[in-house]
Amino acid sequence: MLTCRSSCTGRRPFNSSTRSTSRSVHSRSFCPWTRKSNGFDFNSRSSPPAYSPAHPLNGVSQPADMASVSAQAQATSPAQSVPLQRGIVKMVLSGCAIIVRGQPRGGPPPERQINLSNIRAGAMARRAAQSQPDAKDTPDEPWAFQAREFLRKKLIGKEVCFNVEIKTALGREYGMVYLGRDTTGENLAESLVNEGLATVRREGIRGNNPDQVRLCEMEDQSKASRKGMWSEGGGAHTIRDMKYVIENPRHFVDAMHQKPVNAIIEHVRDGSVVRALLLPDHYLVTIMLSGVKCPSFKREPDGLETPEAYAAEAKFFTESRLLQRDVQIIMESCPNQIILGTIMHPNGNITELLLKEGFARCVDWSMAVYTGGAEQLRAAEKSAKERRVRIWKDYVAPTANIDLKDRQFVAKVMQVINADAIVVKMNSGENKTVHLSSIRPPRIEGEEKNKDKDKRFRPLYDIPYMFEAREFMRKKLIGKKVNVTVDYIRAATGAGETTPAFSERTCATVSIGGINIAEALVSKGLATIIRYRQDDDQRSSHYDELLAAEARAIKNGKGLHSKKEVPIHRVADISGETQKAKQFLPFLQRAGRSEAVVEYVFSGSRLKLYMPKETCLITFLLAGIDCPRGSRNTPGGVQTADPFSNDALVFTRDLVLQREVEVEVESMDKAGNFIGWLHIEGVNLSVALVESALSKVHFTAERSSYYKTLVTAEEPCRERKEKVWANYEEKPVEEVVQMKEEKERVANYKAAYVTEISDSMHFYAQDVETGAQLESLMETMRAEIAAQPPVEGSYAPRRGDFCIATFADGEWYRARLEKVESPSKVHVFYIDYGNREVVSAVRLAAMPPAFSTRVLPAQATEYTFAFIQVPQDDDIRAEVVDSLVRDIQNTQCLLNVEYAGATCPHVSLQFGDTKDDVGLGLVKEGMVMVDVRKEKHLAKMVNEYLTGQESAKSARLNIWRYGDFRADDADEFGYRR
């Protein structure tokens, strides 16, 4: 009998230390299944769903046993004494050797290697064993690979029948193999010879054997036709192991750009690790499935391998669907020289099938690179967990420790405690601390923390990137409503030797505007991801997105992952440092309104502020109010809290904690605390506390510009006896009739420079005494601006703000914004000259603090003429204004305040050179009428004006040209009598 070449056992498929495929398969398949193991019975007639023929990727329609066929089938066999058997082709080792398997029954089925009789095909390449240093690798013989491929494409996953003609002492079996269920199918040996891919062993040919004679005839025909190895081509073929020919696998993977690569699966090490032949370059690579891990085989010190639970089943699951199949591989990453990829088969994705059938579990470290998206893998794993199949048979779902109604809610962020914790205000008014799921804020090792023991450790400023992380959270969240989805509640833990105790923590995903704050924080490198045990399900519902964000941050070198020097924050805390506070006080006073961030609220009127420009922390007391005090420790014991002190604390904390505010520092107390006014979004906190009946006006407010506002806000609360006024009793006031003395008119004229006259006959004037200060300030300001010009368009105008603006002459002047219609139409009032203008925002800039109104008040003061009625008729009034502009605008006059008015003082004005009364001159010219005042001390002045009016009337000047019209038609002429 002619036999196949004895070396035809195939290429060592995995590495030099791995046994031959056939031996490895037998050692891993037969031994565990000779008796009941892991709940399966080798003789059981039932098979688990995973091995069902209808399952995707199976590729088998009707698998058969390796039992002997019926007597009828035996009768058709060439050798009646040799029983015909059937099996499924699992693997083609070479052109003359295959491995067949039976039907799975409760576990991986038994396997057999069948060598084709009477022919000889080229031997496949072999790698030298590591235990034999002198041995050399042997390459593929010519046409060996083509012969293997010819059989692989015909047989893999197909049913064949065979008869074993010879079985050697070593257990090697030789026979004839037919494609199909009986011998009417294609004879594989004949097909190989016919294609010129194998030679016939002619030694010992017996003429009475028609099969052998037929093989010889077919070989002669293929020679004549020059097929295969009989052609002129050499048929040489080289397969290169990427491990030995490519120095940097990562560059190789990156060059593929995650595009599908055609491949053949050559070997399955375990369910999630395979050996693949990449086409058309014939690189042999090891691929680990991205995002999953199957139970594996542990190699013991004695060289034997011990399978983990379900390792053999998982391996068979992958083998039966992929081994020696044509697939496409997407190579996704290459960490630590390990190529991660996804194997795509026309019938499905093996990665997701392994998870769904409970043969694998998700692994966090490689899920981020999975092309199909981590959510697909999580969903498949969840399905297996819910059905408790295979590795999940003992799975117990985590107990829900929170009501469904409390899992999702909308709340307002009140405080950022840390880079991973915030305080939110629920709709019920309750404050709740929420921790961001699965992230860890920046931290510092113990040695670094204790490096400078003399310096007080302040985590916010001393831990690298902690301040940046807190600021990112504060600017994004403070005062805004967020969506909170509770992922899990971490139980309280006790203190350990090296770990502190933790109270129960609510861990959630917080999003605003569709953005996951934790993901945004991680993507900027301002936090890291917590790594969990594989069986720990208490993690963020967006854990995979967090891992992907961290991978991007590491790749781009952001934040904590940057190789640059860490930022250093040198923040001086001058709270309670009297000497340091004295040094800062003049600067803060001159600065006017300064920007600050409220870091802490001690009580309703006592706060701790961070001054960004000055990089210092100060204690700040609200001026002008008397706020209830909370309980505090004193030398005599604990002093009880005043009524409503907690209400005032909550009010202030909710309004300003961690918000950006503006402060005006007026003075400081003996303890080094600064005193002043705090504004947030146009609201004066002192006034707000008084309006809410949580503070009273303090007498020190009388000398401030906010005194009238405070008193106005206090009166309604006092009348309602609300909160701090609950026990207020108004003292009876005795009526005292005071005889009001009429005073004589006091003429105290002072020099003033008239700068602007309005259409309503009001005019603006500057005090001549402060003119030199104004000129000096303007020169200094313009010089500073010329040295450091403001960036055009960088200023955002806001109604009521003080700024600087360029006038038509191209010079900068101080101004106040009265109205903002659009960026191109901003109404400004020049506070030192009294004129108004509509300008574009590009002509505006922020007012430098050194030139604010606290340094020099606005110089243009509004006045109107005393004893004169302003004409209601527009034409007459315009004539009067024109006359005034010609006579007094841009001239120095003498001004005396006669009496107060509703909007501005009423004054008498004299020309600077002649000392003539301007208003009296208008009356004598018949331009205006006299406004008669009843005060006795003004009687002399009023009489003088009335005498001038009578003379103009007698001369019929201007408005009196038609006589005295006041009797019946004064309104018609725009006058009132």
Side-chain angles (χ1 to χ4, degrees), residues 442 465 519-528 549 553-554 557-562:
Y465 294 102
E519 184 178 352
L521 199 66
V522 171
S523 65
K524 291 185 176 295
L526 300 177
T528 54
I554 294 173
K558 291 187 176 181
L560 293 164
H561 315 292
S562 173

Side-chain angles (χ1 to χ4, degrees), residues 408-414 422-432 434 477 479-485 510-512:
Q408 289 188 341
F409 54 87
V410 178
K412 184 179 180 180
V413 179
M414 307 306 297
I422 60 176
V423 176
V424 297
K425 191 171 187 178
M426 316 281 283
N427 292 333
S428 61
E430 174 192 1
N431 283 353
K432 184 180 184 68
V434 174
L477 301 182
K480 297 178 182 177
K481 289 191 174 182
V482 296
N483 296 306
V484 181
T485 302
V510 178
S511 60
I512 179 171

Side-chain angles (χ1 to χ4, degrees), residues 595-832:
E595 295 178 354
V597 176
V598 179
E599 290 289 347
Y600 192 77
V601 178
F602 299 102
S603 67
S605 60
R606 185 184 182 92
L607 311 96
K608 191 167 191 175
L609 306 181
Y610 169 65
M611 312 291 288
K613 291 183 179 179
E614 294 77 19
T615 61
C616 66
L617 292 166
I618 65 172
T619 301
F620 189 80
L621 309 179
L622 296 180
I625 60 172
D626 183 10
C627 191
R629 294 185 177 183
S631 60
R632 56 193 181 279
N633 296 322
T634 62
V638 178
Q639 186 172 341
T640 57
D642 296 339
F644 301 103
S645 61
N646 189 59
D647 294 32
L649 169 64
V650 172
F651 178 87
T652 299
R653 187 171 56 201
D654 289 352
L655 185 61
V656 302
L657 181 60
Q658 290 190 335
R659 266 65 161 199
E660 295 174 357
V661 298
E662 292 181 328
V663 293
E664 297 177 72
V665 175
E666 287 191 343
S667 59
M668 60 172 285
D669 62 12
K670 60 183 180 180
N673 304 315
F674 295 96
I675 304 172
W677 308 92
L678 185 145
H679 306 268
I680 176 170
E681 297 178 355
V683 176
N684 186 323
L685 182 55
S686 298
V687 176
L689 283 165
V690 172
E691 283 179 337
S692 301
L694 294 172
S695 291
K696 298 179 181 179
V697 179
H698 196 262
F699 69 89
T700 54
E702 293 179 1
R703 58 177 179 266
S704 74
S705 57
Y706 302 106
Y707 178 67
K708 186 175 180 180
T709 307
L710 288 168
V711 172
T712 304
E714 185 184 55
E715 287 177 358
C717 300
R718 186 171 59 241
E719 291 173 0
R720 294 193 302 266
K721 294 188 177 182
E722 186 179 357
K723 295 179 182 176
V724 297
W725 299 102
N727 301 322
Y728 173 73
E729 293 184 4
E730 190 171 354
K731 296 181 180 179
V733 180
E734 295 183 2
E735 251 184 73
V736 179
V737 179
Q738 295 182 352
M739 299 300 293
K740 188 176 180 181
E741 271 188 35
E742 295 293 343
K743 300 182 291 183
E744 291 293 331
R745 173 179 176 268
V746 178
N748 184 18
Y749 286 91
K750 62 178 182 179
Y753 189 83
V754 179
T755 57
E756 182 71 13
I757 300 174
S758 68
D759 294 339
S760 61
M761 284 185 59
H762 287 218
F763 64 92
Y764 291 86
Q766 298 173 346
D767 190 348
V768 173
E769 292 182 359
T770 58
Q773 296 180 38
L774 177 62
E775 289 182 6
S776 175
L777 181 139
M778 297 302 290
E779 289 178 3
T780 306
M781 182 180 75
R782 289 167 182 167
E784 183 175 311
I785 294 172
Q788 296 181 345
V791 178
E792 186 176 291
S794 62
Y795 177 69
R798 188 172 59 181
R799 182 176 176 271
D801 282 359
F802 288 96
C803 66
I804 56 175
T806 52
F807 191 55
D809 59 0
E811 296 290 350
W812 290 93
Y813 296 89
R814 300 193 302 174
R816 184 180 72 248
L817 303 182
E818 294 188 322
K819 185 179 180 181
V820 181
E821 292 185 21
S822 67
S824 60
K825 298 181 71 175
V826 183
H827 297 250
V828 299
F829 171 71
Y830 293 98
I831 60 176
D832 295 319

